[in-house]
Amino acid sequence: MERMEWIVVTQDPAKTGQIAPGRTVCLPGARNAAAENAGAEWLLFWQENLTPAAGFGEAVAAALDEAGADTAALAPRVLPSPGDAAPDPLTLELPWASSRCLLVRRSAFLAAGGFDARLPEPAASRDLSVRLRGQGLIRALPAAAALAPGMPAQDLNAYRDEVLGKARLAAKWAPFGAAMRAQAELWQAVRHPAHYPGVRRVLAPAAARQLLAVWPLLTWRLGHRALFKNAPSPLGSPLEADLGPNEMTAPCPKGPLVSVIVRTHSRPASLRRAMQSLTHQTYQNFEVVVTEDGEDTAGEMLRTEFPGLRIDYRATGEHVGRGKAANMGMNRSHGALLCLLDDDDYFYPDHIEQLVSRFVAQPDCDLVLASTMALEADVVSTDPYELAPARLRPVVFDHITLMDLCVRCRIPVSGGMFRRALFEQYGGMREDIDGDEDWAMWLRYLRTARRAVEDKADIARATSLCLYPADPAEAARRAKEYAAFDEEMLGDPRLLYTVTAGQLRRWREQVHADREHLRRVGGLEAAREDAQSHAAASVLLASDAPDDQPLTLTAAALRADWYACLLDG
């Protein structure tokens, strides 16, 4: 039996048929027939406008050699991509995968029943993923990349399919009440659709025909009670989230040496998991510099379990504090670029590559910021390290200005990468406080650091995962603990910035927009209560000052002005 057969999916009826040995071209509805007639162990569903990146074949061959019987499908990455499901950073397991580029074990595909032709994309891919997961795991294959011609804006037909697909998916999988609510939401979309020319002329007739499509899906579950009862929901769960748009157009395998700075303290089981996420990195030119704050508890584990990683591990022998442990690691590092990973956080497979690619594209940049994913979970065991996860959510900010960053730390410790020159000029983290030490470092760097984008994260895609307490009481305790350091840290006289009057006006406009958003969603009063204890009179800028007038402001003054803007009006 052949190892793999290509099934190229096209929308053009004239292209349907056999075009070359092992490469079948078919319309979406004919994919199941092509799979049944294939003779290979694995099927590669391939959207016709994709091209394989360098090394694609080798990466796929290696993955197939390593794929165990528990693997039903492998999902190579597509660059760029409008959004991908977040994989488990340790096992690379995916909740669902797109059929744009998907390797499926033929036996698992046939046992799952193939694609449901009654569902448009992306609902058909989610539906198939749920049934495939009954046959085995779906895993990300980040080492192999397929290149798309670009990231097109969603068109009217894609919007129609998305709206209809959600309703049909709910009819097939959701509890009956939720399925009925989904149909009502479809008609709400007809009444208040997204703004496309002629959208109602397209969406309304499709919604009217929805009843004919929904009843077979509702009755389908009657003959599949066990599958319906046991299968994970394709409609999204607290632990399923989208990483966000991928703007990389091609892999970035080469670039400067990156130093990943890891600080840990007597948590070898937790550290093991953070290190495991580094073994999946698509960018290979990096070193790992680990500083253990205290006695050696992890050295032997790192040497024996991670021989493939370039690791410099040292224990301090006595407790020196979080800030000093990080600084000791940065002092020992050799990379032109530095980033940080705490022992209870994780990098997604393309984290280092995504950030390095931005430095390669923007050689004048000093600091690159990426979005992150927040995992709300409680630690139920430290050895073995076990979590009780409750929610996974992307942390994406519409804007990250200097003023924003003087109010709260919007850069998780794993969310930034910076040039070594910043560390050499300004030093690292503060060593005299037990919280906000990384925030203080970011604010010092922002005095002169050049950013590619002044007021946004450079990478909207979530590239790392940070752990947060799920228990509200523990979260409140931690917030109170860190708040005790805020005033001391923000009062540092070294945090002095020169900005223009025009910049400050733009930042204030963004705060005003945030205030109106909070008013609409009902969160303004709580925000104002918080602001009352922080705001000072806003006297930073005369209304008639020219845009190019320079202003020298402290971090504390910028924070006070932010709160004053929130209270204004």
Side-chain angles (χ1 to χ4, degrees):
M1 178 183 286
E2 294 291 332
R3 195 69 189 278
M4 184 181 75
E5 181 169 329
W6 294 59
I7 297 179
V8 182
V9 180
T10 179
Q11 300 286 350
D12 186 353
K15 294 182 180 179
T16 301
Q18 190 77 16
I19 60 169
R23 290 175 180 248
T24 301
V25 174
C26 59
L27 292 168
R31 287 175 290 185
N32 294 343
E36 290 176 2
N37 295 327
E41 179 187 358
W42 289 85
L43 309 172
L44 175 60
F45 290 100
W46 185 267
Q47 189 170 296
E48 65 173 333
N49 65 344
L50 300 180
T51 56
F56 180 86
E58 294 83 352
V60 167
L64 295 186
D65 287 339
E66 296 175 4
D70 64 337
T71 301
L74 294 164
R77 55 182 177 153
V78 177
L79 300 175
S81 170
D84 297 309
D88 184 300
L90 306 183
T91 66
L92 301 185
E93 183 181 354
L94 284 167
W96 59 273
S98 167
S99 63
R100 295 178 70 195
C101 182
L102 183 64
L103 269 162
V104 184
R105 195 185 296 273
R106 180 174 177 270
S107 58
F109 181 83
L110 296 178
F115 290 96
D116 189 335
R118 298 167 295 188
L119 299 175
E121 289 290 352
S125 290
R126 283 184 175 263
D127 170 71
L128 173 65
S129 295
V130 174
R131 290 179 284 112
L132 274 178
R133 285 160 70 186
Q135 310 300 318
L137 300 178
I138 302 174
R139 289 192 170 96
L141 180 52
L147 307 182
M151 194 186 300
Q154 186 185 55
D155 61 17
L156 174 56
N157 290 334
Y159 171 69
R160 175 203 61 201
D161 289 346
E162 179 183 346
V163 172
L164 292 177
K166 287 180 180 178
R168 292 183 186 179
L169 205 58
K172 187 172 182 178
W173 290 100
F176 187 79
M180 292 300 98
R181 287 194 297 273
Q183 310 316 307
E185 290 170 2
L186 169 61
W187 284 102
Q188 279 294 104
V190 174
R191 291 180 59 193
H192 305 287
H195 297 288
Y196 292 97
V199 62
R200 286 195 177 90
R201 290 197 303 272
V202 172
L203 195 55
R209 293 191 296 269
Q210 181 79 346
L211 186 62
L212 298 175
V214 161
W215 281 112
L217 297 171
L218 287 171
T219 56
W220 171 87
R221 68 177 79 186
L222 297 177
H224 301 81
R225 289 185 178 89
L227 179 61
F228 179 79
K229 180 179 180 181
N230 298 321
S233 170
L235 307 176
S237 75
L239 298 181
E240 292 185 14
D242 193 312
L243 289 172
N246 191 339
E247 298 175 2
M248 280 180 55
T249 57
C252 179
K254 296 181 180 179
L257 176 67
V258 174
S259 295
V260 180
I261 312 301
V262 182
R263 51 187 178 172
T264 186
H265 174 61
S266 301
R267 298 199 296 187
S270 174
L271 176 64
R272 175 184 289 111
R273 291 159 63 101
M275 298 297 291
Q276 189 175 341
S277 75
L278 294 178
T279 65
H280 301 307
Q281 290 301 301
T282 54
Y283 185 87
Q284 293 296 304
N285 190 21
F286 69 93
E287 65 173 1
V288 188
V289 184
V290 183
T291 301
E292 176 138 20
D293 185 7
E295 297 296 327
D296 181 342
T297 67
E300 182 62 23
M301 178 269 291
L302 294 176
R303 285 187 291 271
T304 57
E305 296 186 22
F306 299 97
L309 292 178
R310 180 177 166 186
I311 301 175
D312 174 359
Y313 169 83
R314 297 186 194 179
T316 62
E318 61 181 7
H319 180 59
V320 299
R322 292 157 49 90
K324 187 170 183 177
N327 293 341
M328 292 172 71
M330 286 188 271
N331 276 314
R332 298 202 317 272
S333 67
H334 303 90
L337 300 173
L338 281 67
C339 62
L340 297 128
L341 175 66
D342 277 353
D343 65 1
D344 58 353
D345 295 337
Y346 311 95
F347 285 169
Y348 285 115
D350 61 352
H351 171 84
I352 298 178
E353 183 183 23
Q354 289 274 353
L355 275 66
V356 169
S357 70
R358 192 53 57 95
F359 278 104
V360 171
Q362 302 280 346
D364 292 334
C365 237
D366 295 317
L367 173 67
V368 168
L369 309 180
S371 299
T372 191
M373 200 73 76
L375 174 62
E376 295 179 3
D378 293 319
V379 178
V380 296
S381 172
T382 57
D383 193 8
Y385 189 73
E386 293 181 6
L387 298 173
R391 186 184 178 209
L392 184 66
R393 56 182 176 83
V395 180
V396 180
F397 298 103
D398 289 336
H399 51 85
I400 305 180
T401 66
L402 174 61
M403 180 185 275
D404 297 325
L405 288 165
C406 288
V407 177
R408 62 179 57 88
C409 187
R410 298 194 176 195
I411 310 175
V413 70
S414 60
M417 183 178 285
F418 51 95
R419 293 197 183 276
R420 180 173 208 85
L422 287 177
F423 172 69
E424 292 173 346
Q425 180 176 1
Y426 294 110
M429 298 187 183
R430 282 186 61 168
E431 299 180 2
D432 60 332
I433 52 179
D434 291 327
D436 293 342
E437 71 282 351
D438 54 329
W439 188 9
M441 181 183 74
W442 299 129
L443 287 178
R444 284 206 311 281
Y445 291 176
L446 286 167
R447 289 183 60 196
T448 59
R450 296 165 297 180
R451 296 175 59 189
V453 185
E454 178 187 296
D455 61 351
K456 296 182 183 297
D458 300 275
I459 300 171
R461 181 184 184 83
T463 64
S464 61
L465 186 150
C466 297
L467 187 66
Y468 293 88
D471 177 47
E474 174 61 19
R477 184 199 66 79
R478 181 178 293 191
K480 184 177 180 181
E481 182 180 283
Y482 275 84
F485 300 103
D486 289 0
E487 299 300 328
E488 178 183 357
M489 191 274 296
L490 290 168
D492 186 342
R494 294 173 295 176
L495 301 181
L496 199 64
Y497 306 96
T498 299
V499 302
T500 66
Q503 280 180 308
L504 193 58
R505 285 196 183 96
R506 290 195 300 274
W507 296 344
R508 285 175 169 177
E509 289 172 359
Q510 289 172 327
V511 179
H512 291 152
D514 290 344
R515 184 189 62 203
E516 294 309 307
H517 172 72
L518 288 171
R519 191 193 307 278
R520 289 193 298 271
V521 300
L524 183 59
E525 289 308 313
R528 284 190 163 188
E529 287 180 9
D530 180 52
Q532 290 287 355
S533 62
H534 295 92
S538 181
V539 295
L540 302 178
L541 175 64
S543 59
D544 58 349
D547 279 352
D548 59 355
Q549 178 178 323
L551 302 168
T552 301
L553 307 170
T554 64
L558 284 167
R559 187 189 201 204
D561 198 60
W562 189 94
Y563 280 115
C565 291
L566 193 66
L567 291 169
D568 183 32

